[in-house]
Amino acid sequence: MRAAELAYTISDELEQSTQLVALVRAGAGAGDLRGAQALAESIPLRQLRDQALVALVPEWARAGERDRAVALAEGIRYPHNWAWAWALLAKAVADGGDTDAAIGFAARADAEASSFAVEGTERVLALLVEVAVAAGDHDRAVALAERVAALARSGKSATWSEPRPLVAVLAREVLAGDLGRLDALLSPLPVPAADGGGALCGWALGEAFDQDRDLGLDFPGDPDEEAAGPSRLHSPLSAWDLACVLDAVAETADQDVAVALAERAETVLGSGGGCDRDILLRSVTLLLARHGQTERAMAFVGLLDPDLSVPRRVEVVAEVARSGDTGRAEALARAISDRRAQDRALIAVVRELAHRGDLGRAETLVHSINDRWAQGEALVAVVRETARHGDPGRAEALARSIAYRATRARALAELAELAEPFEARRLAAQAVALDGWRTVAPVLERIAPRAFALIVDRMTS
C-alpha cells in the first residue's frame, strides 16, 4: 500500500512511471494480473506503459488466458515493442506445451522483427531460437542462431552493460557439446583500424572501478596499432561476451565443457583480452573453482591487479564451498591475510554449510569469526536453515543473538517467511520495529493475502 501511495505522489512523470512499472511486475509475480494491468494502464508515460503491458502478455498466457494475452499484444502501441511482445507470447505458449500455436506466434514475431529493424532484434531472434528448440525444429533453430551471430559480426548488438542475446544462443550450443560457433566467433577478422581517440572501457562485476592506460591494455588509436598498418584483427566475440558465456553455463556445464571453455579463455587472455580482461579473468576463475579446479583458479587470480585479487579470492572460496569441498574452502579462507576479506569468505562457507544441513559445524564456524557484523551476516543463513530443519525455537534464539538491528530484522523476516501465519505476523512486526517495513516486503503477500489487490483498489479507485 505504502509503495503505491509513494509512487502516485511522485511529481516527475518519468520517475513515477518507472516506479509503477516495478509495481506492475510485482503484482504479476504475486498472481494479481487484473490488478497489475489496472496499474499498468494508469502509467502516464506511454512508452513505459507499453513496457508494462508487454511484460504482462506472457503472464496472461501462462495463466491460461491466451485470448487476453493476444489482445494485449495487439494493443501494444509502439512498433519497436511488437516483435518482443509476440516473441514473449510464443515462448510462454511453448513452455505450456502448445508448440503449434507457439510456432505461429513466433512467425508473427519474426515478421515484425524483419519489417521493423530495431536495436532489440538480436534479443527477439535469440528468444525465437528457444521456441524453435522447444518445438523440435532443429533446422529453424540453427537458421535463427546464425542470424543472431550475423548481427554480432555486423556489430549491431544490444547495450554493452548486459549480456548480449548471442550469449544465450552460444550457451545452449556449448552445453550440448557444440563449440563450433563459439570458436568461429572467437576467430579474429580484419577490420579497419580506428582513427584514434578511442574511449576507455571498464566494467567489474559487483564492483565499480576505473581502468587507465597504465594497465598495459591495447586501445584503439594506440601508436603501436597505427604503426602496424591500415587494418587490425578483431574478434566478433569480445572477452566480455566470452565471460558472459562462461557465467551462463557455469551452473550446468560438465567438467569437460568447463575445462574446454577455460582453455579458450586462456587463449583470449594470452592475446591481451582487451579492456574486458579482468571480467574474463573473474569468470574463468569462478568457473574453474566451481568445478574443483582450485589450483588453476588460483593461478588465474594471480594474474589480477592486486586490488582485485583479494575480492576474487573470496569468490573462489565461495565457489569451492558450493562445489562441496567445504573443508578446502575453509582452509582457503583462513589463508586470506586481509581480515575483512577473510570474514566475508568465512561467511560464504557458513552459508554453504547451513544450506547442506551441517548446522553444528556452521555454528562453530560462526563463533570463530571475531567481527560482530560478519557474525550476524553468517547467522542469518544458520537461522533460516535451522527453522527449515524443524527447530524454530532455536532459530529465533539465534536470530535474537545478532548484534546489529538491521541484520537481526532480516533474520526475523526469514523466520516470518517460514512460520505459520500467526507467528509470521508476530515476527514480521518485530522486524518492522527494528528496521522498517521494507525488510518484510518480500513476505507481505503471504502474511497478508491480496495485499497487492488492496493497493491497486485504493490507488485506482
Side-chain angles (χ1 to χ4, degrees):
M1 182 77 72
R2 183 61 177 160
E5 289 174 351
L6 289 172
Y8 277 106
T9 61
I10 297 172
S11 58
D12 182 89
E13 277 195 339
L14 176 59
E15 179 62 21
Q16 182 189 100
S17 297
T18 301
Q19 294 296 328
L20 288 173
V21 169
L23 283 175
V24 168
R25 295 182 186 278
D32 186 1
L33 294 177
R34 294 183 186 278
Q37 186 163 337
L39 268 187
E41 291 169 349
S42 75
I43 294 174
L45 288 184
R46 189 56 192 258
Q47 170 56 19
L48 288 179
R49 190 188 319 168
D50 252 21
Q51 287 183 21
L53 293 174
V54 167
L56 290 174
V57 168
E59 299 302 330
W60 279 116
R62 292 190 184 98
E65 298 275 359
R66 188 182 301 175
D67 291 343
R68 185 152 191 165
V70 170
L72 198 57
E74 295 278 8
I76 302 299
R77 177 173 182 176
Y78 292 112
H80 60 270
N81 292 321
W82 293 346
W84 185 236
W86 289 108
L88 287 172
L89 180 55
K91 182 64 166 62
V93 172
D95 289 344
D98 190 347
T99 54
D100 290 338
I103 290 171
F105 293 134
R108 175 74 179 269
D110 195 357
E112 296 291 358
S114 301
S115 63
F116 194 86
V118 294
E119 184 180 335
T121 300
E122 188 180 348
R123 181 175 63 157
V124 171
L125 295 176
L127 190 58
L128 296 184
V129 171
E130 297 185 34
V131 176
V133 170
D137 191 344
H138 176 73
D139 292 341
R140 177 69 175 158
V142 170
L144 287 165
E146 183 51 43
R147 288 167 63 187
V148 176
L151 285 172
R153 293 187 192 98
S154 71
K156 298 174 182 177
S157 61
T159 175
W160 69 272
S161 61
E162 60 185 26
R164 293 199 290 179
L166 174 64
V167 167
V169 173
L170 293 173
R172 180 181 294 279
E173 294 176 345
V174 165
L175 288 174
D178 180 4
L179 279 70
R181 194 186 308 280
L182 177 73
D183 288 340
L185 288 168
L186 284 173
S187 299
L189 300 172
V191 298
D195 58 1
L200 299 178
C201 58
W203 182 265
L205 302 180
E207 298 178 17
F209 73 99
D210 294 324
Q211 289 184 338
D212 58 27
R213 294 179 184 270
D214 292 333
L215 292 179
L217 304 176
D218 295 327
F219 295 96
D222 280 354
D224 290 343
E225 282 189 322
E226 292 173 358
S231 65
R232 61 189 178 90
L233 295 179
H234 169 75
S235 170
L237 199 69
S238 68
W240 157 256
D241 294 318
L242 182 56
C244 291
V245 173
L246 267 58
D247 293 342
V249 305
E251 292 284 353
T252 50
D254 60 35
Q255 189 172 74
D256 289 342
V257 169
V259 171
L261 288 172
E263 289 171 353
R264 283 151 177 81
E266 191 169 5
T267 299
V268 172
L269 290 166
S271 65
C275 58
D276 295 326
R277 177 177 180 273
D278 286 339
I279 302 173
L280 182 54
L281 269 172
R282 174 188 186 272
S283 294
V284 69
T285 296
L286 299 185
L287 177 71
L288 289 168
R290 188 168 299 175
H291 288 273
Q293 304 287 308
T294 310
E295 288 75 14
R296 279 186 80 184
M298 296 304 289
F300 276 110
V301 169
L303 299 176
L304 284 164
D305 181 275
D307 290 338
L308 294 175
S309 65
V310 170
R312 290 300 85 82
R313 288 178 189 277
V314 174
E315 291 181 316
V316 168
V317 169
E319 295 304 330
V320 172
R322 287 182 61 191
S323 75
D325 193 352
T326 52
R328 179 68 183 279
E330 182 179 349
L332 288 171
R334 300 287 185 196
I336 297 175
S337 57
D338 182 279
R339 176 57 62 182
R340 294 179 64 184
Q342 184 184 104
D343 287 342
R344 292 197 302 273
L346 290 173
I347 289 171
V349 179
V350 169
R351 287 171 176 168
E352 188 58 34
L353 286 169
H355 177 69
R356 292 173 177 272
D358 194 348
L359 298 173
R361 189 173 159 209
E363 274 196 60
T364 300
L365 191 54
V366 166
H367 295 307
S368 74
I369 300 173
N370 294 322
D371 182 77
R372 290 199 303 167
W373 173 86
Q375 270 193 353
E377 286 294 314
L379 271 174
V380 171
V382 179
V383 166
R384 180 179 59 249
E385 296 304 326
T386 299
R388 284 188 194 278
H389 284 76
D391 193 352
R394 174 64 177 165
E396 186 170 346
L398 288 171
R400 296 194 184 286
S401 73
I402 295 174
Y404 286 87
R405 292 171 61 92
T407 314
R408 197 186 324 150
R410 282 172 39 222
L412 291 171
E414 292 276 1
L415 291 179
E417 186 174 3
L418 298 170
E420 294 299 322
F422 177 78
E423 281 295 298
R425 286 191 287 271
R426 176 181 68 83
L427 293 164
Q430 293 173 5
V432 170
L434 285 168
D435 196 41
W437 67 271
R438 288 181 183 274
T439 306
V440 300
V443 298
L444 179 62
E445 185 67 20
R446 198 183 73 82
I447 295 172
R450 293 192 56 75
F452 188 82
L454 292 173
I455 291 172
V456 172
D457 289 344
R458 175 74 64 87
M459 294 297 97
T460 59
S461 60

